[in-house]
Amino acid sequence: MTFKRLAALAGAGVLALGMAACSSTGGAPEGSEGGSGGGTVDTPRKTVAMITHEVPGDSFWDLVRKGAEAAAQKDNIELRYSNDPEAPNQANLVQSAIDSGVDGIAVTLAKPDAMRAAVERANAAGIPVVAFNAGMDSWEAMGVKEYFGQDGFIAGQGVGERLQSEGSAKALCVIHEQGHVDLEARCAGVRDTFPAAEILNVNGKDMPSVEATITAKLQQDPSIDYIVALGAPFALTAVQSAQNAGSTAKIGTFDTNAALVDAIEGGDVQWAVDQQPYLQGYLAVDSLWLYLTNGNVMGGGAPVLTGPAFIDASNIDAVAEYARGGTR
């Protein structure tokens, strides 16, 4: 199995890009080393709102935000980042951005039906909207100009094929936010190519509950030999759950962070599916600058894929430095 083959079937391409910088309004962070490089553009100052479904404490969004801030620094953009895990509140944040007169909006569409009206109001106000990370199947119908992310279903299919190749008999796919369209697409993809996968819903806002729920499931069903987490913090929690339950189940996951790199190097986690969150944040902001200043639209009406790709012991050295630097 290769993700390239699966993605080709969907007729999509993959972009790769590496940058580094961080600040809450698009400038360089205090005490940061290096930077995004290349200076800044001389186009007029623009304001972009980025609104996500981030759950506080999920390190994935630190990477998204760093990418967005690097692009904002380069593009002379004031970046206004806000987040709420509840879709109605996220829609209210979009409305607040509209009311404040921002020049562009970048938004995640984890629960697209709840976001539809807010996106329509932004379009009616003449504010361009791009989407990233979640909403692969909804963005175009909602009038969103561009989409950046991975195809969750294709990524899940690749995981299912890997489970087969590793000889797994039964896997557990752990969804940490019920109703999140991309997370559900990932597990659906896993089950498409590996039917012996069971879905377990947990409360991702309560990590002790996540640990207890996975532990109880492993104790209840010793035949589970693989746990597929959908985020790095949940994979690390699954490692603890397996230990608690006395289970020998292996752990794979979607997404990375510095601690997960250590876990792959140490053998506690077998692999991670990388969708390049830093790149998603970077492209979302940079694409709005390109549209606002030059009328450019990326993708030709198709999503711009930032993944997926496997990271495991065979190639972890290629990304470890960047992960520990907070950009992978």
Side-chain angles (χ1 to χ4, degrees):
M1 183 282 306
T2 65
F3 281 127
K4 183 182 290 185
R5 174 171 61 82
L6 290 168
L9 295 175
V14 178
L15 288 180
L17 185 61
M19 308 288 289
C22 165
S23 91
S24 60
T25 57
E30 293 184 7
S32 65
E33 297 180 2
S36 62
T40 59
V41 301
D42 59 1
T43 51
R45 183 80 163 169
K46 300 291 184 182
T47 301
V48 167
M50 174 170 280
I51 298 131
T52 77
H53 60 277
E54 172 187 351
V55 175
D58 187 344
S59 57
F60 177 90
W61 298 101
D62 297 338
L63 306 180
V64 169
R65 190 166 176 174
K66 284 184 178 181
E69 288 164 346
Q73 180 185 21
K74 177 183 72 70
D75 294 338
N76 191 27
I77 282 175
E78 177 190 346
L79 179 66
R80 298 178 184 174
Y81 182 94
S82 59
N83 62 282
D84 198 292
E86 302 299 330
N89 297 337
Q90 192 184 353
N92 289 337
L93 291 173
V94 173
Q95 184 60 55
S96 296
I98 296 169
D99 294 341
S100 69
V102 298
D103 298 298
I105 296 174
V107 67
T108 59
L109 301 173
K111 296 177 181 176
D113 288 344
M115 300 296 292
R116 191 177 305 276
V119 170
E120 289 175 352
R121 288 192 292 271
N123 289 333
I127 300 172
V129 180
V130 300
F132 65 100
N133 179 257
M136 170 74 75
D137 295 329
S138 306
W139 67 278
E140 192 172 12
M142 293 173 65
V144 172
K145 293 191 177 301
E146 300 160 86
Y147 178 85
F148 306 96
Q150 73 177 4
D151 186 311
F153 187 77
I154 287 177
Q157 286 179 311
V159 167
E161 292 195 4
R162 180 150 188 160
L163 292 173
Q164 286 189 29
S165 70
E166 293 189 20
S168 174
K170 184 173 183 180
L172 193 65
C173 193
V174 182
I175 296 178
H176 56 265
E177 184 180 344
Q178 197 165 1
H180 183 309
V181 293
D182 188 63
L183 300 185
E184 293 182 346
R186 295 179 197 180
C187 283
V190 172
R191 296 185 72 180
D192 182 68
T193 53
F194 188 78
E198 181 178 346
I199 293 174
L200 178 69
N201 286 288
V202 298
N203 179 8
K205 299 175 187 176
D206 183 351
M207 203 61 82
S209 171
V210 172
E211 182 179 322
T213 303
I214 298 175
T215 298
K217 184 63 179 178
L218 293 174
Q219 291 171 334
Q220 174 194 344
D221 188 353
S223 69
I224 295 169
D225 58 17
Y226 232 113
I227 303 167
V228 178
L230 304 186
F234 305 99
L236 298 171
T237 298
V239 171
Q240 186 61 53
S241 293
Q243 293 173 357
N244 294 344
S247 170
T248 59
K250 296 179 180 179
I251 289 102
T253 189
F254 286 73
D255 304 329
T256 63
N257 60 22
L260 191 82
V261 166
D262 293 337
I264 291 176
E265 289 180 332
D268 291 328
V269 175
Q270 304 304 304
W271 41 260
V273 179
D274 185 21
Q275 61 174 312
Q276 301 189 96
Y278 182 97
L279 183 59
Q280 291 178 10
Y282 186 96
L283 291 176
V285 171
D286 201 41
S287 67
L288 283 168
W289 173 76
L290 286 166
Y291 180 79
L292 291 166
T293 61
N294 203 47
N296 296 122
V297 177
M298 296 185 194
V304 177
L305 296 189
T306 61
F310 276 118
I311 295 174
D312 57 23
S314 70
N315 60 5
I316 189 66
D317 290 345
V319 299
E321 174 187 354
Y322 304 115
R324 293 187 175 114
T327 58
R328 287 296 293 270

